Amino acid sequence: MKGYSSEENMGNLFCCVQVDQSTVAIRERFGKFVEVLEPGCHYLPWFLGHQVAGHLSLRLQQLDVRCETKTKDNVFVNVVASIQYRALANKADDAFYKLSNTRSQIQAYVFDVIRASVPKLNLDAAFEQKNEIAKAVEDELEKAMSAYGYEIVQTLIVDIEPDDHVKRAMNEINAAARMRVAANEKAEAEKILQIKRAEGEAESKYLSGLGIARQRQAIVDGLRDSVLGFSVNVPGTTSKDVMDMVLVTQYFDTMKEIGAASKSSAVFIPHGPGAVRDVASQIRDGLLQGSHQ
């Protein structure tokens, strides 16, 4: 860059030049490099052939490089690398004279490293090994750019972007896997509920059976005690007479309760008190068999 500003022209007129902070100037004499001018004011006898060939910034600069490549499983991705670099003050002449376009040079090295590294990895591995890819880019750039007077401060892989169709497919695969896990968990929960419900029903039936058995046993014991007590206290009566009387009494008590209910759902069929004899005969036979056993 050979152009000069009005301040530089004024400085050259009075044989002095000002160099701003974080910047160095390249001094030439009749087109040949002489020295690097540090920030400050410098005497520059232009009439003796001295001039400022240009300025070089020492500030930290950043270059974002977007590189398209494909992975080992043939998925095309856009890898975005962020390169932070700066010129070295002690090699300012190399940085000024050896490279005509620093950013293009860095971009070429980034392309070369990324397109050599990413195709060796599957898509998932590329996401997992972003730091390794960034380290490979940084090492290659550091080795190459140090010869040109530049320092690579840091290299970051800030993004890996697959194609939109690939991202949708990845999301669908993830969603399907999660739905499959949810379905398994739901089925397992329903299985546990059914097992617990069956166990509860079995326990309920078992306890209900025990209750019915105890109820029947209590009824039988009560009837037996009543028959035996009545036979002892009333001489001349048999167990059959006592059982008939007890059953007839219970029969009329039952009829009385049914008639007293305002909303009874009992269904009557043709019968008479004589039918009690058949019931008494069956109960008596059962008691006798139970006593015998």
Side-chain angles (χ1 to χ4, degrees), residues 220-221 224 228 283-293:
V220 171
D221 292 341
R224 184 180 65 246
L228 292 177
I283 295 176
R284 183 173 59 253
D285 293 341
L287 288 174
L288 292 175
Q289 291 178 3
S291 299
H292 177 69
Q293 292 177 355

Side-chain angles (χ1 to χ4, degrees), residues 136-150:
V137 173
E138 183 174 345
D139 291 343
E140 185 66 23
L141 284 176
E142 183 68 29
K143 182 172 60 177
M145 299 303 294
S146 62
Y148 300 110
Y150 282 91

Side-chain angles (χ1 to χ4, degrees), residues 59-72:
R59 294 186 178 92
L60 183 67
Q61 302 182 61
Q62 179 169 310
L63 172 64
D64 293 329
V65 180
R66 187 182 188 89
C67 176
E68 183 181 18
T69 183
K70 75 170 185 174
T71 60
K72 187 177 181 179

Side-chain angles (χ1 to χ4, degrees), residues 16-42:
C16 65
V17 64
Q18 175 183 320
V19 180
D20 296 333
Q21 186 66 34
S22 299
T23 306
V24 293
I26 303 301
R27 180 178 181 178
E28 292 181 347
R29 184 170 184 271
F30 295 118
K32 182 179 179 180
F33 171 72
V34 176
E35 63 176 340
V36 175
L37 301 179
E38 300 291 338
C41 186
H42 300 272

Side-chain angles (χ1 to χ4, degrees), residues 41-60:
C41 186
H42 300 272
Y43 177 69
L44 198 71
W46 58 268
F47 51 86
L48 296 179
H50 292 271
Q51 64 176 352
V52 173
H55 294 78
L56 182 67
S57 175
L58 302 179
R59 294 186 178 92
L60 183 67

Side-chain angles (χ1 to χ4, degrees), residues 83 85-86 88 91 94-95 98-99 102 104-110 112-113 135-152:
I83 314 300
Y85 66 98
R86 64 186 172 195
L88 297 173
K91 294 184 177 180
D94 291 335
K98 288 186 176 182
L99 288 180
T102 305
S104 297
Q105 188 75 13
I106 292 176
Q107 182 174 332
Y109 281 108
V110 173
D112 181 66
V113 176
K135 187 66 169 60
V137 173
E138 183 174 345
D139 291 343
E140 185 66 23
L141 284 176
E142 183 68 29
K143 182 172 60 177
M145 299 303 294
S146 62
Y148 300 110
Y150 282 91
E151 175 190 13
I152 304 300

Side-chain angles (χ1 to χ4, degrees), residues 75-109:
V75 177
F76 281 88
V77 295
N78 286 311
V79 181
V80 181
S82 181
I83 314 300
Q84 297 176 355
Y85 66 98
R86 64 186 172 195
L88 297 173
N90 58 346
K91 294 184 177 180
D93 54 333
D94 291 335
F96 184 81
Y97 286 107
K98 288 186 176 182
L99 288 180
S100 60
N101 193 328
T102 305
R103 300 174 72 87
S104 297
Q105 188 75 13
I106 292 176
Q107 182 174 332
Y109 281 108

